[in-house]
Amino acid sequence: MPDLAHIHHAVEEWSGHDPYAETLTEQQVADYWRDGFLIGVPVLTDAEVDRILADIDEVSDPGHEGREFWYEYNSDATSTGGTVQGIGGWRVRQSLHDLLWHPRITSAFAQIMNAAPRLLFDQLFLKPPGQSGVINWHQDYSYWTYSQPMNHVTCWVALDDADLSNGCVHYVPGSHKWELLQRPTKLMQDVGSIYEQLTPEQQAQFTPVPAEVKRGSVLFHHPLMIHGSHPNTSDRPRRGTTIHAMADGTRAAVDEPTIDGVPAWLMGGAGPFYPMTENPQGPLLEGTYFPLLRKV
Ligand SMILES: O=C(O)CCC(=O)C(=O)O
């Protein structure tokens, strides 16, 4: 099967959407900048979610076609503390690929960033029923400091109703205005190591809110937003997929691994992030692996 990274538009056009209609109201954009996140923007129909879930079921077989295109893929949740994580699914299955170009998502990116959005990477977070599935409190940008300047937005797409019982994402309102903190050593185990780094004032303001969201709706969050999630204690799955977008013109400024223990796709000559340099005017993140998602 072909590597879908070479196709920089939805293979199947999203019908019924004006590609340049604004998704967010002015108030929503202002809320995003005040709180650091937005909860529950409707995007996908049930049938569209079903297509994505069918593709996700297919790639849960470790021998699936296109396995070589993932940057990272671990379908065995028992070895990751309970969450199946995959990075690069847009290269592997059409539904994950086309999702990047959904007009309601790309328009919201452009509205929030006030720039044309490009893909940094996409990422699956699947919590099977009855397993732990903790995501430690973290700021996404602590993994991406090589990509500068910081003008990024993450869209988290709910593929199931996500609530307290199945481990929905939680946000700490206002924490995007705090400084960049150290990343946790273990992203998918423990919850709380970031807390020790907070000032007493920040600890007093550390009041996470659950981002409960309906299947087919999405969350948006700022790259410095502190977020994480608790175990899925229910008998239902909690599946989500994220699109991490950055403004067109972002450069790779630092040469360092950005995901603990998984440097190959970032560091190796064969990886899409190669070459990276210590030059803040380093190479533009563009080309095959960093497609433009929409013009301004
Ligand atoms: O799915 C989760 O629980 C965590 C998601 C996350 O860390 C992210 O979207 O950046």
Side-chain angles (χ1 to χ4, degrees):
M1 65 160 284
D3 177 356
L4 298 173
H6 299 286
I7 305 171
H8 287 188
H9 54 83
V11 175
E12 228 168 282
E13 282 289 304
W14 290 100
S15 60
H17 294 281
D18 168 1
Y20 285 89
E22 294 198 326
T23 303
L24 306 177
T25 62
E26 269 180 40
Q27 186 59 53
Q28 282 176 305
V29 176
D31 290 350
Y32 173 92
W33 286 106
R34 185 197 57 220
D35 299 333
F37 59 85
L38 280 179
I39 297 176
V41 179
V43 170
L44 297 172
T45 64
D46 261 348
E48 289 163 351
V49 173
D50 282 344
R51 278 191 66 182
I52 296 173
L53 290 178
D55 278 349
I56 287 176
D57 277 352
E58 222 178 273
V59 299
S60 66
D61 173 356
H64 62 269
E65 249 196 295
R67 173 74 185 80
E68 66 277 23
F69 301 135
W70 291 94
Y71 302 135
E72 185 186 343
Y73 190 74
N74 193 337
S75 58
D76 175 15
T78 52
S79 65
T80 61
T83 303
V84 172
Q85 198 218 182
I87 299 181
W90 74 287
R91 299 175 60 183
V92 184
R93 283 296 176 276
Q94 188 182 315
S95 64
L96 293 170
H97 172 277
D98 285 3
L99 183 63
L100 306 183
W101 282 275
H102 194 294
R104 282 186 56 78
I105 296 176
T106 58
S107 158
F109 282 150
Q111 285 185 274
I112 292 171
M113 297 192 300
N114 200 19
R118 258 185 205 280
L119 177 69
L120 182 59
F121 58 88
D122 67 339
Q123 189 167 16
L124 288 178
F125 288 97
L126 314 176
K127 295 187 188 186
Q131 303 207 28
S132 75
V134 166
I135 303 289
N136 201 344
W137 297 113
H138 66 284
Q139 293 166 308
D140 290 339
Y141 195 67
S142 67
Y143 297 87
W144 310 335
T145 48
Y146 61 88
S147 62
Q148 297 178 18
M150 184 185 74
N151 187 7
H152 301 53
V153 183
T154 290
C155 175
W156 191 97
V157 183
L159 303 172
D160 296 296
D161 289 352
D163 55 33
L164 284 171
S165 71
N166 66 353
C168 65
V169 174
H170 283 61
Y171 292 128
V172 179
S175 58
H176 63 305
K177 295 182 181 155
W178 304 354
E179 77 272 26
L180 181 65
L181 303 160
Q182 250 174 30
R183 68 177 95 153
T185 42
K186 290 181 183 155
L187 181 63
M188 298 213 221
Q189 287 164 41
D190 314 326
V191 159
S193 55
I194 214 168
Y195 196 73
E196 293 148 24
Q197 298 178 47
L198 304 180
T199 63
E201 293 74 30
Q202 289 168 341
Q203 288 185 357
Q205 291 165 27
F206 194 91
T207 43
V209 297
E212 293 190 305
V213 61
K214 290 284 173 205
R215 164 186 152 106
S217 288
V218 309
L219 317 171
F220 289 100
H221 67 250
H222 186 279
L224 293 180
M225 169 52 44
I226 296 183
H227 61 290
S229 59
H230 297 292
N232 178 359
T233 56
S234 77
D235 55 7
R236 297 172 294 123
R238 198 238 57 186
R239 292 163 292 190
T241 186
T242 59
I243 303 168
H244 302 300
M246 59 185 168
D248 186 27
T250 307
R251 290 176 183 271
V254 198
D255 186 2
E256 62 174 27
T258 59
I259 295 187
D260 288 333
V262 192
W265 60 284
L266 300 162
M267 300 291 286
F273 286 90
Y274 183 86
M276 301 218 294
T277 73
E278 299 207 346
N279 174 2
Q281 288 305 311
L284 278 170
L285 290 167
E286 61 179 7
T288 307
Y289 301 104
F290 306 101
L292 197 64
L293 301 180
R294 163 197 160 119
K295 297 188 181 124
V296 258

